[in-house]
Amino acid sequence: MILIYLLKVSACTLIFFAAYQFLLARLTFFKLNRLYLLSALLFSFIIPALTIESKREVLINKQATNTEIAYSNQAGFEKDFELEHLENDSSINWNQALEYLYVTVLAALIIRTLAMIGFVKFSINKNSSSQQGKLILVRASSKIKNCSFLNKIIVDESLSNEEKDLVIRHESAHVNQVHAFDKLLVNFATNILWFNPIIYFWRNAIDHNHEFLADYETLKTADKKAYASLLLNLAMPSSSLATHSFSKLPLKKRIMMLYKEPNSNMKKLVYFSVIPLLAICLLAFVNHKEVIVTKNVIGEENSFTHVNVYKQNFFKTAIVLDPNAKPAFNETEVVLVLDAGHGGKDAASVALDGQREKDMNLRAVNILKEEATKRGIKIRLTRNSDEFVSLRDRLPVQAATAFISIHHNATPKNAPAAFGGIEVYVSKLNKNIKVAEELGAVILSNLKKAGGINVQDSLKNGNLLLLRESKTPAVLIELGNITDQKSLDFISQEINLRKISNLILDGFVTFSKRGC
């Protein structure tokens, strides 16, 4: 998420700038300070974007499960249930709203920066009286004068020759040392981190550093007192963030640096303090990804290796089990969250025989729970009676191994006939779709053994809130089409529901033993 990344960048800027302010700002090593300010700013943006992978190999003895992950192109009819006065009012996505606000302000600031650059260029051209190469003389009435802009030096034509000479020397240092690049870089960084107060102090620090560098270069061939006097005489508020003004208020720091004795070279050792700061930021803000390499041994001769990538913090518990080691399964708690779709005022569809889908979903979940309890699998239900539970309240909050939502499909009036059997949905919009695909694929592979009812050959992609926003691996299973007589007859029999339930559980157990 972009906002999390930007918060990490802001935290890095805080650490690096605090080090600069307390350790480096008073030193006279202006070139090193410039290098620090620029490189630390870049590191602040780079570190949170880095990802470190750690590999872990797990050996598992088990039979091969050959399930190809594919998606059906057939349209689905399952939709999220929304009440105008309930879901629409309570489903404000604050993260998305904040992102829109951030992007809006960012766009406005970038436009402002570009407009400011354009205005400075226009104002210089408008007030220009003569130009010789990089040097542009402007009229005394010009608001933009005695400064440098990109690779141009702008000087007030009314100044004396001695004053012009000092201004030109100072501004030439800005141009020759390409300070305009630093200024553009930090201004755009300020636009990106507009909400972070530290970046404005950082921008000021870079401006001050530029002036120290230009002053130092000028004093190599100029009288210190005459130069300081001119700084005071020409002092004026800065009118633009796009230019380097010869003398802008406040001047206290510049005057102090003019008369300060250079620091001894031994003090350069202070810059080595950057190394532990860099290590702290790397440890705290770099992203971590765990790569689990599972080596599956089939029989005594054949083996294959596949790689699954999981985010380190996605699951609170990682289950990697050897099916042949019976105590291992009991030592790690396996939790399955079951959701009976719809409920309460949301009756959903009605079957050909008058049964309501919400009741059929709850019946199927209760049977699934009974079969899971026999196996020692811990079950949590999103509802255990005929009650309405909002979609967001159904999402698992506590750590769980998997989340399965049970539904029954139906063909709406005047719509093409829906699939007349079992379907398994996942959402490609979920950030951890690969893990959900594993769960869906292994369950679908087992359901194909049901017999007596059609089973969709491949997974289906559904843009459903439960699948899209679940942080637990989630699938939605349509147990059959209740407006298809053959399908309804099959799933109306309890023996068939128990058979389907055990096939689902077989897939779940296989999934839980694969490192999830």
Side-chain angles (χ1 to χ4, degrees):
M1 180 180 174
I2 184 64
L3 295 182
I4 298 298
Y5 166 75
L6 292 172
L7 288 175
K8 289 182 178 181
V9 172
S10 298
C12 286
T13 61
L14 174 61
I15 294 172
F16 284 125
F17 187 75
Y20 174 79
Q21 197 65 27
F22 289 110
L23 299 175
L24 310 177
R26 294 178 180 82
L27 299 179
T28 58
F29 306 117
F30 304 129
K31 290 183 179 179
L32 288 176
N33 280 355
R34 181 192 183 191
L35 179 62
Y36 174 87
L37 287 168
L38 292 178
S39 58
L41 184 60
L42 291 175
F43 278 129
S44 295
F45 280 90
I46 292 172
I47 289 173
L50 295 177
T51 299
I52 296 177
E53 291 187 356
S54 58
K55 293 186 179 181
R56 178 162 61 92
E57 184 176 285
V58 179
L59 299 178
I60 302 176
N61 288 315
K62 67 175 188 178
Q63 295 298 318
T65 303
N66 297 318
T67 302
E68 181 180 355
I69 296 177
Y71 286 95
S72 168
N73 293 322
Q74 183 178 357
F77 293 94
E78 184 62 42
K79 295 181 180 179
D80 287 339
F81 175 71
E82 294 183 355
L83 291 179
E84 184 176 343
H85 64 282
L86 181 65
E87 288 296 314
N88 288 340
D89 292 340
S90 64
S91 61
I92 298 176
N93 190 328
W94 290 106
N95 287 335
Q96 193 173 57
L98 287 174
E99 287 183 5
Y100 285 146
L101 173 63
Y102 167 79
V103 171
T104 301
V105 176
L106 174 62
L109 290 174
I110 291 176
I111 292 172
R112 173 177 172 268
T113 301
L114 295 175
M116 184 181 297
I117 293 173
F119 171 77
V120 170
K121 188 174 182 180
F122 170 79
S123 181
I124 292 172
N125 292 335
K126 180 181 178 182
N127 293 280
S128 173
S129 59
S130 65
Q131 181 173 354
Q132 297 177 357
K134 295 181 179 180
L135 177 63
I136 301 175
L137 295 179
V138 295
R139 290 182 285 273
S141 59
S142 175
K143 292 183 178 179
I144 299 176
K145 56 188 176 183
N146 304 323
C147 63
S148 60
F149 174 66
L150 300 179
N151 65 336
K152 304 295 183 183
I153 298 171
I154 299 89
V155 180
D156 183 353
E157 65 178 4
S158 65
L159 295 179
S160 67
N161 290 334
E162 292 79 10
E163 290 173 334
K164 286 180 183 177
D165 182 59
L166 286 176
V167 172
I168 291 171
R169 291 186 201 178
H170 177 91
E171 299 305 329
S172 294
H174 286 308
V175 172
N176 295 334
Q177 296 178 23
V178 200
H179 291 171
F181 171 80
D182 305 7
K183 204 168 187 70
L184 288 173
L185 179 68
V186 74
N187 275 321
F188 279 108
T190 303
N191 292 342
I192 294 171
L193 298 178
W194 57 263
F195 57 89
N196 176 15
I198 298 298
I199 196 65
Y200 299 98
F201 292 107
W202 201 301
R203 182 172 64 187
N204 288 338
I206 287 181
D207 279 344
H208 291 155
N209 177 259
H210 286 170
E211 299 309 324
F212 299 154
L213 284 165
D215 290 342
Y216 178 79
E217 195 67 26
T218 305
L219 288 178
K220 288 181 179 180
T221 56
D223 179 71
K224 187 177 294 186
K225 289 184 179 180
Y227 182 69
S229 177
L230 184 61
L231 286 177
L232 293 171
N233 291 337
L234 298 182
M236 59 185 293
S238 177
S239 59
S240 173
L241 295 174
T243 62
H244 285 98
S245 297
F246 172 73
S247 181
K248 62 181 179 180
L249 297 172
L251 282 172
K252 183 179 178 180
K253 285 187 177 180
R254 286 180 67 181
I255 299 297
M256 287 177 59
M257 284 297 182
L258 287 179
Y259 289 93
K260 186 173 182 179
E261 289 295 326
N263 295 118
S264 65
N265 286 332
M266 284 297 294
K267 287 199 173 182
K268 289 183 179 179
L269 296 175
V270 175
Y271 290 91
F272 285 102
S273 63
V274 176
I275 296 174
L277 283 178
L278 192 60
I280 290 171
C281 288
L282 283 170
L283 290 173
F285 303 115
V286 76
N287 299 303
H288 297 276
K289 181 186 291 184
E290 184 177 25
V291 179
I292 301 177
V293 181
T294 58
K295 188 175 183 181
N296 302 314
V297 181
I298 306 172
E300 296 181 355
E301 298 179 356
N302 300 320
S303 65
F304 66 95
T305 301
H306 65 273
V307 179
N308 296 320
V309 179
Y310 305 99
K311 286 189 175 180
Q312 186 181 43
N313 296 324
F314 184 68
F315 300 107
K316 294 185 178 178
T317 57
I319 307 170
V320 181
L321 303 173
D322 181 351
N324 297 323
K326 295 182 180 179
F329 194 89
N330 296 325
E331 289 174 2
T332 306
E333 186 176 52
V334 177
V335 179
L336 174 61
V337 179
L338 295 176
D339 170 53
H342 311 287
K345 53 192 171 186
D346 176 18
S349 306
V350 179
L352 293 176
D353 60 1
Q355 294 185 78
R356 295 176 297 184
E357 184 195 345
K358 65 173 185 176
D359 300 325
M360 299 180 71
N361 294 341
L362 184 59
R363 177 193 179 207
V365 163
N366 285 331
I367 290 175
L368 188 53
K369 178 185 176 183
E370 290 174 10
E371 296 302 316
T373 302
K374 294 177 184 177
R375 300 183 182 216
I377 300 172
K378 183 177 180 179
I379 297 294
R380 288 204 301 265
L381 302 181
T382 58
R383 70 179 179 99
N384 53 20
S385 60
D386 184 18
E387 58 180 323
F388 175 80
V389 182
S390 68
L391 293 175
R392 293 190 181 278
D393 289 337
R394 294 171 186 262
L395 291 170
V397 177
Q398 300 175 337
T401 311
F403 174 48
I404 299 176
S405 183
I406 298 298
H407 290 252
H408 292 77
N409 206 352
T411 303
K413 292 181 180 179
N414 303 320
F419 183 72
I422 300 174
E423 300 169 295
V424 179
Y425 284 80
V426 295
S427 174
K428 290 183 179 180
L429 295 178
N430 190 292
K431 294 180 180 179
N432 294 275
I433 178 60
K434 293 300 180 183
V435 188
E437 281 179 342
E438 278 199 58
L439 174 63
V442 74
I443 288 177
L444 185 61
S445 176
N446 281 279
L447 285 172
K448 290 177 182 178
K449 306 172 186 176
I453 188 171
N454 292 330
V455 179
Q456 187 69 262
D457 289 335
S458 53
L459 297 177
K460 298 190 72 174
N461 177 41
N463 183 16
L464 306 172
L465 186 145
L466 290 180
L467 302 179
R468 185 177 66 243
E469 300 192 15
S470 176
K471 294 182 179 180
T472 300
V475 298
L476 183 146
I477 302 176
E478 299 277 9
L479 290 184
N481 190 329
I482 57 178
T483 53
D484 178 270
Q485 191 62 56
K486 181 180 177 182
S487 177
L488 179 61
D489 289 343
F490 184 85
I491 57 181
S492 294
Q493 299 180 43
E494 182 177 333
I495 187 172
N496 292 332
L497 280 181
R498 293 195 179 276
K499 181 179 181 180
I500 292 172
S501 295
N502 278 290
L503 291 173
I504 293 172
L505 292 172
D506 287 344
F508 167 72
V509 171
T510 301
F511 169 78
S512 70
K513 294 177 179 179
R514 295 176 68 178
C516 296

